[in-house]
């Protein structure tokens, strides 16, 4: 059993190009941190304006979240 990720972005987060770029970045970070090997399903709701964040700032945010919510395998 593998983990899954669902990224929910509203239109307030930006146009379709920005929303899709954000989704791809989150999914890349999901696999980069090997979170697919767990047994959790993730739902990520994007707040308005988050799609404009750089990849480096998303990495920091994602790292803090993964350290907080993920148990070691």
């Amino acid at each position: 059993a593998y983990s899954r990720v669902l990224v929910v972005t509203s239109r307030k987060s930006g146009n379709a190009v920005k929303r899709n770029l954000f989704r791809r970045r989150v999914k890349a970070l999901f696999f980069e941190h090997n979170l697919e090997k767990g047994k959790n399903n993730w739902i990520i709701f994007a707040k308005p304006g988050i799609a404009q964040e750089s990849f480096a700032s998303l990495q920091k945010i994602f790292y803090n979240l993964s350290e907080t919510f993920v148990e070691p395998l």
Side-chain angles (χ1 to χ4, degrees), residues 5-27 42-53 58:
V5 62
L6 170 67
V7 182
V8 179
T9 54
S10 70
R11 290 185 191 161
K12 293 179 182 178
S13 300
N15 62 19
V17 174
K18 291 180 182 179
R19 292 192 312 263
N20 289 332
L21 177 63
F22 175 75
R23 288 185 191 123
R24 287 193 307 270
R25 286 177 172 177
V26 168
K27 289 178 183 179
W42 293 73
I43 301 175
I44 299 172
F45 293 94
K47 291 195 171 196
I50 192 71
Q52 285 76 28
E53 293 289 331
L58 287 176

Side-chain angles (χ1 to χ4, degrees), residues 31-51:
F31 288 105
E32 183 178 309
H33 288 276
N34 293 323
L35 297 177
E36 79 278 1
K37 295 184 180 172
K39 295 181 181 178
N40 300 322
N41 292 323
W42 293 73
I43 301 175
I44 299 172
F45 293 94
K47 291 195 171 196
I50 192 71

